[in-house]
Amino acid sequence: MNKFYLLLILAIGCLSYTNAQVQVSGNVVSDTEGVPIPNVSVALKGSLNKGTTTDFDGNFVMKLNVENGVLIFSYLGYQTKEVSYSGNQTLKVILNEDENSLDEVVIVGYGSQKRSDVTGAISSVKSEDFNQGVVANAGQLLQGKVAGVNVSSASGEPGASQDVIIRGVGSLRSGTTPLYIVDGFALDNSGNGVATNPLNFINPQDIESIEVLKDASSAAIYGSRAANGVIVITTKKGKKGKTKINLTLSNGFSTLANKVDVFTADEFRTNVNAVNGTLVDGGANTDWQDELTRTAISKNINFSMSGGTENSSYAASLGVDDQEGILRNSNLKRYSGRLNLTQKAIDDKLNVTFNLTATKLDNTRPNSSSVVGNMLSLNPTDSPYVNGVLQGNLSNDVLNPFIAETIYGDYTNNNRILANISPSYEIIDGLTYKLNVGVDYSITERDIQYMPYATETNTTLGSVNTATTKNSNTLVENTLNYNLYTDSSSFTFLLGHSYQQTEVSQKQFYLEGFPDNGVEPRYQLETANQQTTQSAYATKNELQSFFGRVNYTYNDKYLVTATMRADGSSKFGANNRYGYFPSVALGWNISKESFLENSDQINNLKLRASWGQTGSQEIPSKITQASYTESNTENDTYPLDTAATDLSGYPYGSIFTRLANPDIQWEVSTQTNIGVDFGLFGNKLTGTVDYFYKVTDNILLEVAPTDPIVPVSSYWTNIPNMEIKNNGVEIALDYNNYINDNFSYNIGGNISITNNEVNNSPYQILTTGAAQGSGQTGATINGVLNGESIGAFYVQEFTGIGADGLNEFADTNNDGEILDDDRIVAGNALPDYIYAFYLNFNYKNFDLGLNFNGAGGHKIYNHVAMSSFNKGNLANSFNTTDRAVEFLNESATNSNLVSTRYLENGDFLRLNNATLGYNFDLAKLGLSESIKNLRVSVTGQNLFVITDYNGFDPEINTGSAIGGIQTFGIDYFSYPKSRTLLLSLNVEF
């Protein structure tokens, strides 16, 4: 019996020893500035399942069964460190920066990774590398910064909309817009009522970094919305022990960057007479491009504060941005506020992050197409004034544009709040649950009005078109993250569920006939005497998703990433409600192999390969459901009342406007990517090379039915076998060299070569761009043709002017007639390649940065020239360019037809921005105790463009969507771009 008790006591003692735990906690900071380092890997040496990562403030807590041991701290960009512990202990760990490391933290979908662990094609741009100058939105920060991403503004208007194309155009219906994620919240920018860029609500100075997820492996975690790529925006956060107060003041001055070479007054007189036209000579010498533009002044004030303690951090900012356009009545004002908070509790197991952005946008817009048309066509011998008094009408009974701009008004007011809160809790070591709840609410009021005005030949009754748009976007996400570490391996498991609901509604009315009493129509609605036109709509869409990801690393050399997302969208019918989007990627850190780990020349070499699928749900709402309307015309009614004598006495009948189609499927993009990352010669030369191949199928289109009995004019369907292919190569290089303490520099750039092609299209052409204007409306300019790039220009080949003074075109099919089937593909609107390069120099306290970007291999259709620059207009005393007199025998009655005559080379090279800055020596000024940094800088934007294009700018695109298919490469009286000089002062306390 005594032996039994002795054994029992020994067993209990052993069990107690086995279950005894010690707690090791601590903080990890950098050796340079002593700032906390988040996401540092902390692992117990020799253990199969003991590891964690530091939180946002560099803190960690581990409960261990081993009383004495060694912890391994590793983080890319820093040297791995082993630290011993004994019992319960609090450690202060300092990691030394690894000068030979290329690694950094990269934000990925639902988390972050070390750069060396990334297997997908992800490009990251930090705030210090953003484009400088007068910047209204995140897209302008990125232009030219990322290989494979083409950012081009639709016009030169402040905050203009942008075409953002990641690795080629992969869809017809959904355009090119990528999915934007802001601090973990997926935006929905459709239908918010703002005519300019919906991303203008984010203050660019609040952005810390932008990640572009380009391949399917990195983007597939976002499934059905990632076919056009994903852009992840992270705003600035506070840091422990580093209190900052920052004030930035800037003033910008913008002028017209480039003039179109129209005739001067003397040239105009000579050429009108030369073509035997009717010269109306007002005796003046007016440059209407000067008269109708201005020196625009932009002002920006941004104030921010940030800091933190052991358990909390904060970052707050207030910004005012007042940007004028170079056309009068063109302004964009943004009032923004941001608050980011973090808080820890319960022994650092509970972490709460809160993000809030609130913005008020006021946007005033001119009738830019009319203003630009006047700039280029008004008689240069006319003067807007006679004896100091504005003329009512100019020659040809054209309303004086100085009066016209006071009559027209376009006013938009947008208020938007984006807020999300993300509490997370570490349930057990390595296992963390996170909830992300957020809302994005926007309300927009827009008034477009004409003041009443009358002259002998021009009468405007006065009108107002008012629209109120509401957009509500709510998000609830739940994720579980589990980190598992062994001696040689690490696993990260992610499981998640997401539910997002968007609601968009609009109410609109139009009133006409206002008294000319000096009061704007929008302020006297009750006085309108014409019939009111009213309309309204509302849509609600839901997206429910389940997703997962596994990351595996072996010996920091061999990497595997696998993801799967299932999306269920209310936009699709019952038969195809869910779509499934898998991906897999492999990585090999070759430079960590024994045969390279001690190489002085090759410091980093990684091979990546990935495959995956992403989708597109960006289709109109309700298209899978049947829709009806009432009609009493033609065969839609029946004379139930025998006394009825005409259709007005017949009852209304219900007819289809849309047939139900529950079989509509997702568009799916399948992409393969092979990439290499490298760093050479002490990481002085770094770069990436990627090859991608992307195929989009299940193309969704609204088409005309082939069955004549179908009771609708069009219906939605997936086009069998039709594909859009994009394949290409991306190269990015950077070389940095530190000469001495006084001088250093880095140069670099990127180039992307992309081939876009449509295959197996059953249509001769799907028109994407058509002509506008008298006698031209609807004529095809470009479109989608089988075997060609999207935006292919499908036009007749102009060969000259015939003996009769009229156009001559090539008979390409040799049938003896010039008809539509003689049209040819004469080029395409999408560039074959885009490129950018930069040069940065630092000398003592001075720094200079130059950023260039360009594109080539594409065409632009000069619709302005086709509409205005012809002999007929010149003969009638409208101004033109020398295009009008190019052919001496051309008849003044010759029609302007869509042809290669107006197709021009779109290649260009632009000095996008140049910044010269100076950082004051605060010690010499005696300010080092109160001020941490004082900097002044001057920035020039759009300083020059080298191009053969004869319009204002080769990047402008004013084509509108046709049948929901986006247009590219057409210049039709675009708002011209400006050249800007910006002076800035930055003070950090």
Side-chain angles (χ1 to χ4, degrees), residues 565-617:
R565 180 162 178 139
D567 278 330
S569 173
S570 62
K571 288 187 174 183
F572 290 86
N575 296 347
N576 289 292
R577 182 60 51 82
Y578 274 86
Y580 301 92
F581 307 97
S583 77
V584 63
L586 304 175
W588 179 21
N589 279 317
I590 306 173
S591 56
K592 294 190 177 182
E593 296 288 353
S594 58
F595 55 84
L596 279 181
E597 62 182 355
N598 296 318
S599 173
D600 293 329
Q601 287 75 37
I602 301 176
N603 311 106
N604 180 66
L605 183 62
K606 180 168 70 173
L607 179 65
R608 298 175 279 105
S610 67
W611 173 92
Q613 293 183 322
T614 50
S616 175
Q617 66 148 11

Side-chain angles (χ1 to χ4, degrees), residues 827-905:
N828 65 80
L830 301 182
D832 292 335
Y833 58 91
I834 58 175
Y835 63 95
F837 59 94
Y838 53 85
L839 303 93
N840 298 313
F841 304 93
N842 293 276
Y843 178 71
K844 294 185 177 179
N845 291 348
F846 288 94
D847 56 83
L848 174 65
L850 305 173
N851 291 274
F852 299 81
N853 73 287
H858 64 296
K859 302 287 186 180
I860 299 173
Y861 196 83
N862 194 337
H863 199 329
V864 175
M866 184 177 75
S867 298
S868 297
F869 302 153
N870 55 75
K871 185 172 288 189
N873 281 352
L874 180 62
N876 288 305
S877 278
F878 288 100
N879 206 3
T880 71
T881 66
D882 55 10
R883 279 178 178 267
V885 292
E886 181 180 4
F887 298 96
L888 297 178
N889 65 325
E890 182 175 7
S891 171
T893 60
N894 187 33
S895 299
N896 304 321
L897 300 178
V898 175
S899 71
T900 57
R901 183 178 184 180
Y902 305 104
L903 199 60
E904 299 187 32
N905 186 353

Side-chain angles (χ1 to χ4, degrees), residues 526-641:
E526 70 283 356
T527 65
N529 57 32
Q530 299 291 326
Q531 183 176 358
T532 301
T533 301
Q534 301 175 356
S535 64
Y537 72 85
T539 61
K540 181 168 77 171
N541 292 298
E542 298 172 299
L543 183 69
Q544 178 171 251
S545 310
F546 302 89
F547 53 89
R549 179 175 60 213
V550 178
N551 295 98
Y552 172 69
T553 303
Y554 179 74
N555 274 345
D556 284 336
K557 300 177 185 177
Y558 312 111
L559 317 167
V560 180
T561 301
T563 67
M564 169 62 80
R565 180 162 178 139
D567 278 330
S569 173
S570 62
K571 288 187 174 183
F572 290 86
N575 296 347
N576 289 292
R577 182 60 51 82
Y578 274 86
Y580 301 92
F581 307 97
S583 77
V584 63
L586 304 175
W588 179 21
N589 279 317
I590 306 173
S591 56
K592 294 190 177 182
E593 296 288 353
S594 58
F595 55 84
L596 279 181
E597 62 182 355
N598 296 318
S599 173
D600 293 329
Q601 287 75 37
I602 301 176
N603 311 106
N604 180 66
L605 183 62
K606 180 168 70 173
L607 179 65
R608 298 175 279 105
S610 67
W611 173 92
Q613 293 183 322
T614 50
S616 175
Q617 66 148 11
E618 299 309 313
I619 57 175
S621 303
K622 308 175 185 178
I623 64 171
T624 62
Q625 305 170 27
S627 180
Y628 308 87
T629 191
E630 292 182 331
S631 172
N632 71 339
T633 61
E634 298 180 350
N635 296 322
D636 301 336
T637 184
Y638 188 81
L640 298 178
D641 183 358

Side-chain angles (χ1 to χ4, degrees), residues 424-681:
S424 64
Y425 186 79
E426 187 177 21
I427 303 171
I428 59 174
D429 287 346
L431 179 62
T432 302
Y433 164 76
K434 182 178 182 180
L435 172 67
N436 183 22
V437 179
V439 62
D440 180 9
Y441 181 77
S442 168
I443 183 167
T444 303
E445 296 178 345
R446 185 181 181 190
D447 296 311
I448 303 174
Q449 71 176 15
Y450 285 90
M451 296 282 287
Y453 182 81
T455 67
E456 292 181 1
T457 56
N458 288 288
T459 300
T460 301
L461 296 177
S463 64
V464 64
N465 191 335
T466 295
T468 301
T469 308
K470 296 180 181 179
N471 189 315
S472 176
N473 179 5
T474 56
L475 173 71
V476 179
E477 290 179 329
N478 299 274
T479 57
L480 279 173
N481 230 306
Y482 183 55
N483 298 313
L484 177 66
Y485 301 92
T486 69
D487 284 342
S488 57
S489 300
S490 66
F491 295 86
T492 300
F493 301 92
L494 170 71
L495 288 175
H497 169 264
S498 175
Y499 174 79
Q500 194 159 14
Q501 177 181 283
T502 59
E503 296 184 59
V504 181
S505 63
Q506 184 182 90
K507 297 177 181 178
Q508 185 174 7
F509 60 85
Y510 175 80
L511 300 172
E512 191 174 72
F514 288 89
D516 188 3
N517 57 9
V519 180
E520 295 182 41
R522 56 179 174 155
Y523 298 134
Q524 52 171 344
L525 301 180
E526 70 283 356
T527 65
N529 57 32
Q530 299 291 326
Q531 183 176 358
T532 301
T533 301
Q534 301 175 356
S535 64
Y537 72 85
T539 61
K540 181 168 77 171
N541 292 298
E542 298 172 299
L543 183 69
Q544 178 171 251
S545 310
F546 302 89
F547 53 89
R549 179 175 60 213
V550 178
N551 295 98
Y552 172 69
T553 303
Y554 179 74
N555 274 345
D556 284 336
K557 300 177 185 177
Y558 312 111
L559 317 167
V560 180
T561 301
T563 67
M564 169 62 80
R565 180 162 178 139
D567 278 330
S569 173
S570 62
K571 288 187 174 183
F572 290 86
N575 296 347
N576 289 292
R577 182 60 51 82
Y578 274 86
Y580 301 92
F581 307 97
S583 77
V584 63
L586 304 175
W588 179 21
N589 279 317
I590 306 173
S591 56
K592 294 190 177 182
E593 296 288 353
S594 58
F595 55 84
L596 279 181
E597 62 182 355
N598 296 318
S599 173
D600 293 329
Q601 287 75 37
I602 301 176
N603 311 106
N604 180 66
L605 183 62
K606 180 168 70 173
L607 179 65
R608 298 175 279 105
S610 67
W611 173 92
Q613 293 183 322
T614 50
S616 175
Q617 66 148 11
E618 299 309 313
I619 57 175
S621 303
K622 308 175 185 178
I623 64 171
T624 62
Q625 305 170 27
S627 180
Y628 308 87
T629 191
E630 292 182 331
S631 172
N632 71 339
T633 61
E634 298 180 350
N635 296 322
D636 301 336
T637 184
Y638 188 81
L640 298 178
D641 183 358
T642 56
T645 59
D646 54 36
L647 288 175
S648 63
Y650 289 12
Y652 280 84
S654 295
I655 61 171
F656 280 105
T657 57
R658 181 177 59 235
L659 299 179
N661 186 355
D663 296 322
I664 289 179
Q665 301 180 19
W666 306 79
E667 284 187 352
V668 177
S669 292
T670 303
Q671 185 174 173
T672 302
N673 188 93
I674 300 174
V676 176
D677 304 327
F678 59 87
L680 308 175
F681 317 121

